[in-house]
Structure formats: structure tokens, C-alpha cells
Amino acid sequence: MNRSSANITKRDFLKKCLAVSAGAVCLPRIAFTGTLSTWEQQKYRKLAMYQEETPRGIMCRICPNECVLKEGELSQCNNRIVHDSKLYTMAYGNPCSVNIDPVEKKPLYHFFPGSRAFSIATAGCNLVCLNCQNWTISQTGPDKTRNFDLMPDKVVNEALKNNSRSIAYTYSEPMTFFEYVFDTALIAREKGVKNIVKSNGYINPEPLKKLCTVIDAANIDLKCFNDTTYLKLSGGKLQPVLDSLKVYRDAGIWLEITNLMVPGWTDNAEETARMCKWLSGNGFRDVPLHFSRFHPTHKLQQLPPTPLSVLNNAVKTALSEGIKYVYTGNVPGSEVSDTKCPSCGTVLVSRIGFSVTYNSIRDRKCSKCGNSIPGVWS
Amino acid sequence: MYHVTGTIIVTILLYLISYSFFRTGIFSQSFHRKIWNTVLAVTFLYTALAGIFMALQQHIQLETGLTGFLKKWHVEAGVVLGITGIFHFLRHLPYFGGLFRRGPDEPAGNGHTVSDRADPGVNLFMIGFTSTSVQILLMREIMNTAGGYELAGGTFLGSWLILSSAGAALAGRSGLNDLRRINMLFAAGPIASSALFLLLARLFLSAGEIPSILETLILTLILLTPVCLLSGFAFVKLMNAARDSDGSVPGRSFSVETTGGIAAGVIITILTSGILNTWELLLMTVILYIAYFFLTYVIKGKAPSLAVKTFFLLLISLVIIADTDKLFRQILLPAVKITETKDTPYGNITRADYSGEESIYYNQRLLTYTNDAMECEENVHYAMLQREKHDRVLLLSGSPLSHLREISKYNVSEVVYVESDPGLAGFYSTNDSAAYVRLRSVYRDAYSYITRSEGSYDAIIMLLPPPSTLSLNRYYTYEFFRKARSRLSSEGVFICSPGPNDNYFNDESVNLYSSVFNSLSAVFRYVEPVAGNKLYLIASDEPLSVAFGSLAERRGIVNHYVNQAFLSDDLIRNKSDEIRSLFRKEVRKNTTAFPVACLHFQEYSFSRDLNEKLPAILLIIAAFVIPVIAVKRSNMLMYFSASALAGFEIIALLMIQMAAGNMYQLTGLIIAVVMTGLAAGAGTGTLFPGRTGFRMKVLFLAFVYLAIGLSFSLIHTGRGTFIPVLVIMLTTAVPSFITGNIFRELTTGTLQKEGAGATYSADLAGSALGFIILSGVAVPAFGIRNSIILLSLLIFAGIIFGTKGK
């Protein structure tokens, strides 16, 4: 053998070491993503609803992202994958977060006040909010989280066992585990357990209408009223959310809306006024509106919490636009949390924190003037 | 999301910088073309290959999980390709014209004249002074923006050194020898870098957004390019000029430049101790250098000199009067209105206003804010509700007044408030603290206070930030908890929060919290995790309860948030049990010598941007592969010994904080010892002549590191402060001196093979490797002792790769 070709110089050795190191860094990732179809993961897969074959691939029709996926590709929400030319959800029966919360924490103030909600979430979300307080589950997929084994019937049984009046599909985005929500809600309904979705409202009308046949209440995040901000802050669009609100309203689902006031992003007084005007003019006057205080989280850690004056001004704006039930959240001690009769001003439901200390609503009516108070009270 | 505008602007700026470099003669036109042809080729290759790969993915149904990454960079690379392509087209426009009309050929070469009116020694000193000043000041600002963790600091120093070494390497290829032009360009470097920093921070980051590690890397690399390239370039040119004018050996020039650096370190340290702010100092440093340039190279005669001096003095006065820092801070924190800003030796304190509510930022992270009842109640009551009576309470950091309101709900006789940064005293209002409870404020490092103070407390409330840096990690170690326990009464309670309470704890946060929990559990009999708005860990030698609602009611404590209305006892209990079940016993305890919590915190931060993890690691690797390939065999020894010394500098700083309780005041001392050692070593003649003598010296250096590593426990456990600090100083001085002497020998006499510039480049690039590997990986992953031993292995690597057999 030629000596020069057989010998490796120190320098070549060093270069090869560096190349191997770089390869070692890259390979685990490729290897990891190549093991997506293990049997264990198959167990939590289900044929996805609302899929459509297109010349470019399989289109997921659940949300306005409308991902078109080829074989093996993952959807933007990290929950859906194409296998054998069919779209599957990977989030079915494998929630990563399970808690029991007061229903007021969702927040839902006009829906079985003082009750508890058995709350579940799988990993995955169709938006990428810079201020997501659940980023550890929303910005990843169910194949990367530690999950519980909770098939739909088991979820309902657990909710009953824990004396929960309802099941809340929350924390991440329930529309990304649509099939799991739908099947669980169907069983829950049969067993008298209510169903709540806490959602960003980023869903197409057709699947939403289907979902509305099995759910009882929803709290929708209306993040802001500006398309540019929606895109920058969350990677989504405003119009689909507004369309969703109308679907919920028309379907007769109990609806409450949350607006998180992020300083410098979504707390512009003029924008708040426009949002309230739109809500008022589109039949949402009776829908409770929650203005929530922002606290620095995830990527937005250089912002201060929302000033109380901003929240209080937003409440005034909403009331002046004719929205009847307006609350503030995340400000213990300074919250606007009591439900007052819009007709006579009597305090009907008094709340401290997540607890209801007083409730005088009888038969959905004000105990003093008899005015009808919308909500699901008992 | 794609950074189309940002990428376009940055590409154009970089092109213009490169163009101006070739126009001014820093590098040749052909080199400028080579750079951009390479950019064009690389971006074209990536865009094309990624496109083909993605098309293949679709057609042959190949799944790699890289789609998101490929798509993002396909677009970004496409933008760079487009812009570079336009410049390329413009450059070749004459060719198309030439199709119809033939023009004369471009003249080759760039024969500049040498101007040597100035004293190269003084000039080198000024360059050393200015470079180091700008380095210290820009690093403070980058650290503020990035979040202050060591990897960001290591990245900064690494980038600085790599780019400076690139500048030094460029000098060897450039025909520009006119000192006047070189100095003029050098003066422009800090201005361009500062402007790029402010511009990129605004372009790439949204209001209130913190950068990811990849964004930090890219931001750092881009903004340091002008100042570092010009600094390395100018140093080598001046070193050559010194050799030509008075025969100074490169080692002497290195000593003079380093002396300028030491002077800058001392002066900047003094001035940033509350006298002047960062941006003010940065502007003043630049003005000072421009003044030097004008007085040395442009102005002649007494009267014009006096006029120039007066003008620059007025300019400096204006910088101070105009409160320039407020303006710059406003650019960096655009979401709030800045009302006051101040730099202290420990960090930057900024007071801001938003819709009438005040907030205080420390190093650009929110520290306190108005209407903080919820946070203060959690901080105080989870610990204090545990016991019926409290006499003395120790409050470590945090805003005193808000917490005193809560503490005063108990019958407490005294609160001792310990804060390391005295600068914060002026920012916190404690005027009406007397209305609540007797407060004694101590401005001292918490670790040092706990270690050396006397007396016992019924509750220790630690409100220091999570262990995101090696410095903060000290407060979450087994050793610190043991000291805290010794300050507690028999039923005393300790509380701390190692990080946020996410709804779901990912593996990274489980590891982080497990390391702190395991350390606490090794000290206290009872430790309870509490899922508040942050994750709290409460610890005591007596049983603890998480039934806060019931406890508050039983003790008659009226709160807005910590009460039964918000916190159901059963739900809190369930959550605590669930969190406890997640903690892993096998995770190593967080100790001073093995600061793993800091490493886990960095991994946790990484997990925010999983898609960026791979490119960030590849970029870091690339940043080190390129210099290694570029460094010639004869300078490999310099490369590895410099990386060992830089790594040891980090370790010395950690050892100082272990011995002295804090690292702040003594940081300057360690840096001064290292630089003095280097300067002395480089300025001293050959110690052991000949190749064998040189090898003996290198072997001795490896042995020194090995010996320090093996005797680490002696230094670590040494009693008192003075002797251990002295020992650390001495152990730092020895390798610094030898490393400096290696530089001298490699740049003079028989060992000089590639020229001083190349050796200097290897020195800088090696230091970069040492800073990043040691601070970001080795110390947290292998512990301090093993990391020191690793340094001796680096020297052996230098011997293997940097020397030839007989």
C-alpha cells in the first residue's frame, strides 16, 4: 500500500474529528424524527376528520392554516401526520396536562358558577403566540411530551370521579385535537357532563359547526382587533376568529370572550373601542367580555404587566359600547368580577377570586327587577 | 416567521462594509469578490439543494422532520442570494456594456504609502485601550439584551476573538500600510458596531421580546464584525509598523497593547461603578480615540491642536449633559417610556413608565412593578404561613417595600433586607417602611452575608432570580442551602423559586427543578414544591403544609390572593404531589463545584426554540471549525494554550466566588492578573532556548493545570478569604505568564513560521474556544475540577497537533 495514502496526518485527523462531531449533533435529530411510527404512538393515532385530497397532498381542513401535507409530513400544529395517504391525528387519548380547575379560571363567569372543570390538553397549537403561557405544550407535539393514557371514556369517568361538572378542553389549542374532543364530548354528554372549550377560535366554520353539536360552553381568546398585530403576535389572522365567534353565537353555545391586554401590542384604546363596537354591533352584547392582565412570559419578558388603568379604561369603553357584562382578570384585589344586573345595577353574583360568595340569580332572572340574565346558571 | 426586511438590510449593510474595506484598502478587491462569490455560491447551493430536497421529500415521501427548518432557511438564504445576486449583476454590468464597447483593464495592485509620523507604541496602547473599552461596554449591553447567561458571554467573547483573528489574518494579505487611514478606519469600527446593534435589536426583535440563542449568535456575529475586523487589522499593522520603526519584537507590541487593555479594564471598572453609564462611556471612548487620531495624524500646530482639544472636551461634556443613556435605553426597550437609567458594577437599573404605572428593570429584565400584590403575597405567605410566630425575617433581594407590607401582617420584630447592588437603594422607595416593621438594609452579596453573618431567622425569603447564570447558580446550591439552614431557627422556613411554574414541565424544566429540589432535600428534612405563579420550593426541618387557604384563615392573615377564594387546599395539594412525582432522584445535586442547575436552565431556555437548536449548535461548531482549519500547524500550540488560559480565567472567576462569596469586586482583579501575566510573559525574553526547552515549557504548563485540578479541593475548602484568594491569584498568574511567553517565542526567532499576525489570530481564536467550551459546557457538565484537568488535555492536544516529531 502507498504509504502517503495510508497515513493520516494529525491535521486530517483533527478535521475528521470535527466532521464526526458535527455529524453526531445532526444525526440524533434525524434518527429521532424517523421513529414516529412506533406501535406505542400508533395507539394514540386516529384517522383525522376533515381531510381532503388535493393534487399537492392531503389538506387538513380543521383550521385556517389548511396545511397541505405529503407523506410523513407534520402539520403546523404538530398534531397531524400523513401516513399511507391518509391524515391521522397523533393526539387521541394522550393528554399531557390534566388538572381540576374552578370554572372561573377558564374564565367562564356565567356557566355553572362555583363548579369545577376536569381540564385536559394534548400538546400542539395552530398559533405561535410570543406571549404563550403554555409554550411547553403548545409549541411541541404529542410525540415529544410525557402523556397520560386517557381514552375518551376514561376522561369522562375521571371527571365524574372527581365531581367535576364539566370537562374543559384547554391550555393548548383543543381544535388541534379535534377528534379527541369530539369523541370525549359525545360520551360526556351522554353521561350528563358538560363540555367546555377554551380556544383561540382559529378554526374553520364547517368543523366548528360539527363541534358545536356536542359542546356546551366556550371561552374564545380574541387576541386583538388588528390583522397585523394578530400575525406578528400569534402568527394568525383576525377574520377567522371573528367568523368563529359568529358560529358559536348562532349555534347557541354559551360563549364568553377573553381579551388579553398585552402592553404595546393589544392594549391600544382605539383598537379596544373598535373591537367593542364590532362585538356590540354583531350581536355579542350579552356575551361576557373579560379583559385580562398580561404578565411577562415566554418571549415577551421585557414588558411590564398591564396597568390597572388600561384594564379599567377598557371596561368603561366596553360598557359604553353597550356590552353588558364586562370583567377584568389576573388582578387579585382590584378585579371587576361581580355580575351586575344591566337593568337595575344590583350585584347578582359576587365573586372573590375563583370563588362565588353570593349568587341571587333565580331562573336566569335578576332577583330584584326580573331582568333576564343570560348564562347557564344551574 | 421570516425576517425578509431584516435580512435584506443586514445583507446590504455587510456588503457595503465589505465594499468600503476594499475601497479603503483593508483588503483587496479580489478578496472582497471572493467573499461575495462564496456567499453567492453557498446561498445558491443551499437554496437549490434545499429546494430539491423538499421536492424530493414530497415525491419520494421521505420524512426527516427538517421541513420547517429547511423552509425557513430556504427563504432566508434565498433573500441573501437575491440581494447578493443584484450586487453581483451590478458589478458585472460593465461586462454587458463591454459586449458592445471594450474598456481598459483594471489596474492591479494597491500601492499605499506608509505614514509613520506617530509613535507606534502610543498608537498600540490607544488601540488596546479603545478595543478593550468597547469590548467591555458592548458586552454589557449584549448580555443585557440576551439575558446575561454565560453562553451569551462566551459567544460574545468567542465572536470577538474569532473576528479579531480574521482581522489579523486580513492584515497579512492587505497592502494598506498608511497608519493614518488605518487609524481613521479603526475609529469608525465602534461607531458602526454600536449602530448595527441598535438597528438589529429593533429590526429583529419585537417590542418586549427576548432573543433566542440563535438570534443572539447572529446578532453578536454581525454587530461585532466592523469593530473586531478593524481592531485585529489595526493591531497587526501597528505591530509591523513598530517592528519597522524601532525594531520592536511582536511580543513587546503585544505587551503594550495588553497594557492599554489593562488600563481600559481598570478605568472602565471604576467609571461604571456608578460614575458614568455604559453608552456615555462608549461614546466618550470613541470621541477620545477620534481626538487622538486628529491630534496625531491630522492637526498640526499649537492653535489648531488647542481648538480640537476644546471641541472634543465640549463634545464629551455634551454626551454627559444630554443623558445619552436614556436615549439608547429607550431604543433597546421600546415598549415602555424610560424615565431613569443607571449602570452599577453589577448591572443596569432602569426605571420605566407605562400608562402611569412604574416598573423597574434590572439588566433589561422586569424586576418590580406596580400592583404586585399577587406575586408579593406568594413570595411571603407560602413560607410565613407555616408557623404561628416569626421574630426575625431575612429577605434576600426583591423590592423591600412591597414585601414589607406582607411581612408586617405577622408580628415580626425585625426584617433584614440583603441586596447585592447598592445602586438599587435609590430606585426602591423605603420611605414609609417604618410604618410596617423595623427594617435593616444590608448592601452585600447574599451568599457572603449568609456565610459570614451571625444570628438566626424564623424565615428566609430568597427572591433572587432563577439560576440562569453561573453567578446566580450559587444561591441554589447545596452549600448555600446548608448555610441558610444554619441561619434558621429550629422551626425556621426557607423559600425560593428556581423558575416559572409551567402548566406542563418539559424534560428540561424537570431536570432543572430536580437538581435544586435534590440539593434542598439533602439539607432539609421537609421540602414542598408549590405550584404558584412561579414554582416555589419551601423547606424546613419541621413539617410543612400547602393548605395555604386554611392556614391564612386560621392565622387571621387577610390577603388578596393567598386565600381560600383563589387557592383550594385540595387542588394545591394534588398539584404539589404531582410535581413532586415528576422530580427525578437521579438528577445530580446542584453544588458549587458542579453547577448543573445552570446548565439545565440553559437547556430549558433552548427548549423555547427547538427549531433553532440545531442551527445554533451548527453555527457554534462552524465558528470553531473554520479557525481550526485556518490555523497553521506551527500555531496550533498557541491556539490550544490560549483556549486553556481563557477557560482557566472563567474557572478562576468561579473559584473566586467560592472563596470570597462573590465575584463582582474581584472580577477586575482576575482579569488584571491574567492580562498582566500575559503581558509579562510576552515581554520577557526566551526562558528555555531551543526546541527542547520550548517543549519543556509547554509540558510544564500542562503539568500546572493538572496540578491545580488535582489540588482543587484544597483551594475549594480553604478557610478564610485572604489566603484562598491569594492562592487563586497566584495559580492564575503562572499559566498566564507561560502562555504569554509561548506567544513571544512563536512570534520571534527560530520558531516563527507564519508571522506574528497568524500567531495572534490563533491566540484569539483559541481564547474564543476556551471561553465558550468552558463556560457553556464543560464547567456545568463536568464540574470545575474535571474542567481544570481538561485544560491540561488541551495543552497536550496542542503538543500533538502543533509540534513535529524529530
Side-chain angles (χ1 to χ4, degrees):
Chain A
M1 189 185 281
N2 186 328
R3 187 181 161 80
S4 61
S5 64
N7 278 357
I8 181 168
T9 64
K10 290 172 194 170
R11 192 169 179 74
D12 286 341
F13 174 73
L14 185 66
K15 282 179 191 172
K16 283 189 171 68
C17 285
L18 288 165
V20 169
S21 309
V25 172
C26 305
L27 276 177
R29 183 185 166 92
I30 295 165
F32 177 73
T33 51
T35 58
L36 281 170
S37 54
T38 60
W39 184 88
E40 187 59 27
Q41 284 161 343
Q42 290 279 7
K43 184 183 168 189
Y44 302 110
R45 282 190 186 184
K46 194 169 193 257
L47 199 62
M49 296 160 86
Y50 297 98
Q51 57 178 293
E52 189 181 312
E53 208 172 321
T54 73
R56 290 179 297 136
I58 309 292
M59 180 191 276
C60 174
R61 299 289 311 279
I62 291 280
C63 86
N65 286 339
E66 299 198 330
C67 302
V68 179
L69 309 166
K70 287 282 182 187
E71 191 68 21
E73 278 187 344
L74 268 174
S75 56
Q76 282 184 43
C77 65
N78 286 307
N79 273 1
R80 283 153 195 278
I81 191 165
V82 174
H83 181 67
D84 284 344
S85 301
K86 296 275 183 230
L87 187 69
Y88 286 86
T89 171
M90 301 194 299
Y92 192 89
N94 50 348
C96 59
S97 191
V98 178
N99 292 300
I100 298 163
D101 292 331
V103 76
E104 281 77 10
K105 203 174 176 179
K106 299 299 138 193
L108 281 174
Y109 277 13
H110 290 219
F111 188 80
F112 293 107
S115 68
R116 284 182 173 182
F118 187 78
S119 308
I120 58 168
T122 73
C125 184
N126 48 3
L127 295 183
V128 281
C129 303
L130 293 174
N131 59 314
C132 182
Q133 57 178 351
N134 287 313
W135 64 269
T136 51
I137 54 175
S138 68
Q139 302 306 310
T140 186
D143 53 318
K144 295 180 186 74
T145 49
R146 291 181 314 276
N147 303 323
F148 294 87
D149 182 21
L150 276 178
M151 284 298 161
D153 54 339
K154 215 169 164 186
V155 174
V156 181
N157 289 341
E158 285 294 315
L160 288 168
K161 204 167 88 182
N162 286 286
N163 298 318
S164 300
R165 189 75 187 79
S166 53
I167 297 169
Y169 310 94
T170 178
Y171 308 133
S172 56
E173 177 45 48
M175 298 315 135
T176 66
F177 50 97
F178 185 90
E179 296 77 7
Y180 185 36
V181 174
F182 189 83
D183 290 357
T184 309
L186 210 60
I187 300 170
R189 199 158 241 220
E190 284 167 9
K191 296 197 177 180
V193 179
K194 302 291 179 190
N195 293 291
I196 297 167
V197 291
K198 166 70 185 164
S199 165
N200 58 28
Y202 209 59
I203 180 171
N204 282 331
E206 199 189 338
L208 181 56
K209 282 174 189 164
K210 171 102 174 160
L211 190 70
C212 285
T213 60
V214 291
I215 62 161
D216 303 282
N219 183 299
I220 303 300
D221 283 327
L222 182 52
K223 294 178 190 295
C224 61
F225 210 70
N226 178 319
D227 226 13
T228 312
T229 310
Y230 236 104
L231 184 68
K232 277 190 175 175
L233 185 66
S234 303
K237 287 175 260 177
L238 171 65
Q239 192 55 47
V241 183
L242 300 180
D243 294 342
S244 293
L245 291 175
K246 288 177 182 171
V247 173
Y248 281 112
R249 179 199 61 193
D250 296 344
I253 303 300
W254 178 252
L255 177 66
E256 302 193 18
I257 296 169
T258 300
N259 177 226
L260 179 71
M261 308 209 82
V262 185
W265 286 85
T266 66
D267 65 338
N268 180 280
E270 201 180 303
E271 203 176 294
T272 304
R274 277 196 295 121
M275 179 181 78
C276 294
K277 204 178 180 76
W278 184 90
L279 289 171
S280 184
N282 284 274
F284 294 96
R285 286 183 171 214
D286 281 342
V287 172
L289 177 60
H290 301 260
F291 289 109
S292 236
R293 191 187 196 197
F294 163 86
H295 282 273
T297 185
H298 193 31
K299 299 242 173 174
L300 296 186
Q301 293 189 25
Q302 285 187 342
L303 295 180
T306 321
L308 295 192
S309 59
V310 172
L311 292 168
N312 292 333
N313 287 339
V315 170
K316 281 181 201 161
T317 305
L319 289 171
S320 70
E321 287 296 341
I323 295 169
K324 293 175 185 167
Y325 308 97
V326 189
Y327 306 100
T328 59
N330 284 346
V331 272
S334 309
E335 285 178 335
V336 180
S337 60
D338 291 346
T339 303
K340 289 180 185 167
C341 173
S343 175
C344 67
T346 307
V347 174
L348 300 172
V349 183
S350 181
R351 298 178 184 87
I352 299 177
F354 302 136
S355 304
V356 175
T357 55
Y358 172 76
N359 183 351
S360 69
I361 295 172
R362 300 284 176 269
D363 299 326
R364 300 186 62 193
K365 283 181 180 154
C366 169
S367 53
K368 193 175 176 190
C369 71
N371 183 42
S372 174
I373 308 296
V376 184
W377 301 104
S378 59
Chain B
M1 197 165 158
Y2 305 113
H3 300 109
V4 176
T5 318
T7 311
I8 290 172
I9 293 174
V10 169
T11 311
I12 293 173
L13 277 173
L14 289 178
Y15 188 91
L16 292 178
I17 288 169
S18 169
Y19 183 78
S20 62
F21 278 11
F22 117 67
R23 293 290 295 178
T24 48
I26 288 180
F27 45 62
S28 63
Q29 189 182 39
S30 68
F31 187 72
H32 164 73
R33 286 184 173 182
K34 272 181 198 166
I35 292 174
W36 290 97
N37 284 341
T38 309
V39 172
L40 201 63
V42 169
T43 50
F44 169 74
L45 274 175
Y46 178 79
T47 312
L49 290 175
I52 292 167
F53 187 74
M54 284 191 288
L56 278 173
Q57 264 193 315
Q58 289 202 342
H59 288 282
I60 62 167
Q61 301 169 354
L62 171 75
E63 189 213 323
T64 61
L66 291 168
T67 312
F69 167 76
L70 286 173
K71 258 187 206 168
K72 180 178 164 56
W73 293 102
H74 181 70
V75 172
E76 306 273 353
V79 172
V80 179
L81 174 68
I83 298 297
T84 315
I86 291 169
F87 282 121
H88 191 79
F89 173 75
L90 290 174
R91 198 174 75 199
H92 290 284
L93 203 56
Y95 163 79
F96 296 104
L99 290 176
F100 308 100
R101 172 179 50 83
R102 193 170 185 87
D105 288 341
E106 193 178 293
N110 50 1
H112 295 299
T113 55
V114 179
S115 167
D116 56 358
R117 284 198 293 116
D119 177 355
V122 178
N123 208 331
L124 275 165
F125 180 89
M126 285 303 291
I127 286 207
F129 180 88
T130 310
S131 301
T132 308
S133 303
V134 172
Q135 184 188 58
I136 295 170
L137 297 167
L138 269 183
M139 187 169 162
R140 279 176 78 114
E141 285 305 313
I142 295 265
M143 291 290 272
N144 284 345
T145 304
Y149 51 95
E150 275 76 12
L151 193 59
T155 303
F156 177 92
L157 290 170
S159 307
W160 182 284
L161 297 166
I162 287 168
L163 290 165
S164 298
S165 71
L170 277 176
R173 297 159 143 262
S174 165
L176 175 66
N177 291 311
D178 183 349
L179 292 187
R180 193 174 71 89
R181 290 182 76 180
I182 290 167
N183 276 279
M184 188 173 71
L185 284 165
F186 175 77
I191 300 169
S193 286
S194 304
L196 268 173
F197 176 36
L198 298 169
L199 179 75
L200 293 176
R202 286 301 289 263
L203 271 176
F204 280 93
L205 300 174
S206 303
E209 188 184 355
I210 53 165
S212 66
I213 184 76
L214 184 64
E215 284 166 338
T216 304
L217 272 171
I218 294 172
L219 183 79
T220 307
L221 274 169
I222 293 174
L223 78 93
L224 289 184
T225 300
V227 67
C228 294
L229 279 182
L230 289 166
S231 161
F233 183 90
F235 171 67
V236 172
K237 286 293 178 187
L238 281 163
M239 195 161 61
N240 293 339
R243 190 169 48 197
D244 293 345
S245 69
D246 60 8
S248 286
V249 291
R252 186 180 168 273
S253 298
F254 183 66
S255 296
V256 173
E257 197 245 7
T258 307
T259 310
I262 296 169
V266 173
I267 291 169
I268 295 291
T269 304
I270 293 168
L271 291 177
T272 48
S273 62
I275 300 168
L276 287 169
N277 287 335
T278 308
W279 289 101
E280 281 170 349
L281 272 168
L282 194 59
L283 286 175
M284 285 166 68
T285 307
V286 174
I287 291 170
L288 197 67
Y289 195 85
I290 294 172
Y292 162 77
F293 165 72
F294 270 94
L295 292 169
T296 311
Y297 290 101
V298 181
I299 305 297
K300 285 178 185 171
K302 274 189 177 176
S305 284
L306 189 67
V308 166
K309 282 175 191 168
T310 313
F311 171 75
F312 281 110
L313 269 175
L314 283 171
L315 206 59
I316 286 172
S317 311
L318 189 69
V319 166
I320 298 168
I321 295 163
D323 201 359
T324 39
D325 268 68
K326 218 163 102 177
L327 174 75
F328 286 110
R329 197 64 57 201
Q330 187 66 69
I331 295 171
L332 294 167
L333 285 171
V336 286
K337 186 184 171 206
I338 307 298
T339 54
E340 188 182 357
T341 185
K342 182 183 178 183
D343 284 298
T344 74
Y346 309 95
N348 172 266
I349 313 166
T350 297
R351 196 196 299 277
D353 177 88
Y354 188 82
S355 290
E357 284 195 6
E358 187 184 277
S359 45
I360 295 172
Y361 288 82
Y362 197 79
N363 292 335
Q364 291 189 195
R365 295 293 180 276
L366 189 67
L367 187 67
T368 64
Y369 51 94
T370 315
N371 294 309
D372 56 354
M374 184 160 71
E375 189 177 339
C376 291
E377 285 184 12
E378 287 194 301
N379 289 342
V380 170
H381 298 298
Y382 289 160
M384 293 190 70
L385 279 172
Q386 300 298 329
R387 307 287 176 250
E388 197 88 42
K389 287 179 184 171
H390 296 275
D391 186 37
R392 295 182 80 220
V393 174
L394 179 61
L395 185 63
L396 300 177
S397 199
S399 59
L401 191 60
S402 314
H403 289 94
L404 279 180
R405 276 194 205 109
E406 300 307 322
I407 295 170
S408 67
K409 291 177 181 172
Y410 303 82
N411 191 21
V412 174
S413 67
E414 187 188 40
V415 174
V416 177
Y417 170 68
V418 179
E419 170 58 58
S420 60
D421 192 342
L424 277 166
F427 279 75
Y428 288 143
S429 163
T430 51
N431 294 340
D432 53 348
S433 61
Y436 298 106
V437 68
R438 205 183 125 216
L439 173 75
R440 184 160 66 88
S441 299
V442 179
Y443 289 98
R444 188 171 168 187
D445 176 70
Y447 199 104
S448 163
Y449 182 82
I450 282 270
T451 310
R452 296 198 174 83
S453 67
E454 297 295 327
S456 108
Y457 301 92
D458 300 298
I460 297 178
I461 299 166
M462 193 176 88
L463 302 176
L464 285 148
S468 57
T469 65
L470 287 169
S471 175
L472 286 168
N473 186 78
R474 295 178 298 146
Y475 308 111
Y476 295 87
T477 54
Y478 168 77
E479 291 85 350
F480 181 79
F481 295 147
R482 219 173 45 173
K483 302 275 184 199
R485 181 174 176 255
S486 69
R487 291 278 154 268
L488 280 171
S489 59
S490 58
E491 287 195 336
V493 184
F494 174 85
I495 188 169
C496 66
S497 170
N501 174 37
D502 298 318
N503 196 301
Y504 168 86
F505 287 3
N506 61 16
D507 282 348
E508 290 82 1
S509 58
V510 168
N511 286 338
L512 165 65
Y513 298 145
S514 298
S515 66
V516 180
F517 181 83
N518 292 344
S519 307
L520 264 177
S521 300
V523 173
F524 292 94
R525 284 182 66 193
Y526 300 92
V527 184
E528 282 285 356
V530 182
N533 286 293
K534 296 184 278 186
L535 177 79
Y536 290 92
L537 295 174
I538 46 176
S540 177
D541 282 337
E542 292 297 320
L544 298 161
S545 166
V546 292
F548 302 112
S550 307
L551 284 172
E553 200 166 289
R554 199 189 316 156
R555 307 214 191 287
I557 304 293
V558 180
N559 293 327
H560 289 304
Y561 180 74
V562 179
N563 54 38
Q564 285 190 323
F566 275 96
L567 310 174
S568 302
D569 290 349
D570 60 330
L571 298 185
I572 296 284
R573 173 79 267 163
N574 291 346
K575 197 69 190 167
S576 286
D577 290 344
E578 186 196 325
I579 292 172
R580 181 192 290 276
S581 73
L582 292 174
F583 290 154
R584 296 167 182 158
K585 284 199 173 128
E586 68 273 17
V587 173
R588 184 187 276 274
K589 279 200 306 262
N590 186 41
T591 62
T592 314
F594 235 112
V596 284
C598 171
L599 178 72
H600 295 314
F601 197 96
Q602 286 184 14
E603 286 171 342
Y604 174 66
S605 301
F606 257 134
S607 70
R608 283 177 206 279
D609 305 282
L610 283 174
N611 286 337
E612 294 185 358
K613 193 175 178 179
L614 183 67
I617 292 170
L618 288 177
L619 193 62
I620 291 174
I621 291 173
F624 292 106
V625 168
I626 294 163
V628 169
I629 292 169
V631 171
K632 296 280 190 274
R633 175 196 285 272
S634 55
N635 285 321
M636 271 293 179
L637 195 58
M638 191 70 248
Y639 181 83
F640 282 107
S641 53
S643 65
L645 184 67
F648 190 69
E649 196 175 339
I650 294 280
I651 289 171
L653 290 171
L654 288 172
M655 281 160 54
I656 279 283
Q657 76 184 9
M658 286 159 70
N662 74 79
M663 64 195 286
Y664 305 110
Q665 285 92 346
L666 298 171
T667 299
L669 201 58
I670 286 288
I671 294 170
V673 168
V674 170
M675 293 181 93
T676 310
L678 277 171
T684 308
T686 305
L687 293 175
F688 309 103
R691 190 180 290 276
T692 313
F694 182 70
R695 286 189 176 185
M696 287 299 290
K697 183 161 56 188
V698 178
L699 275 172
F700 178 67
L701 182 60
F703 172 76
V704 167
Y705 285 127
L706 194 64
I708 298 170
L710 293 174
S711 58
F712 169 70
S713 52
L714 286 175
I715 305 167
H716 176 36
T717 52
R719 285 181 177 275
T721 306
F722 180 73
I723 299 292
V725 168
L726 189 68
V727 171
I728 294 164
M729 295 292 171
L730 286 173
T731 50
T732 310
V734 176
S736 307
F737 179 83
I738 300 172
T739 310
N741 202 250
I742 288 173
F743 176 84
R744 184 187 177 93
E745 291 205 21
L746 287 173
T747 52
T748 51
T750 53
L751 291 166
Q752 187 188 5
K753 294 276 192 299
E754 306 296 335
T759 309
Y760 183 60
S761 295
D763 177 19
L764 298 176
S767 304
L769 177 80
F771 275 123
I772 292 192
I773 296 292
L774 265 291
S775 63
V777 184
V779 171
F782 309 128
I784 294 177
R785 178 201 167 100
N786 295 340
S787 297
I788 303 173
I789 294 170
L790 185 75
L791 300 179
S792 61
L793 294 179
L794 277 177
I795 301 296
F796 279 117
I799 295 169
I800 292 168
F801 295 113
T803 55
K804 274 186 180 172
K806 282 180 183 174

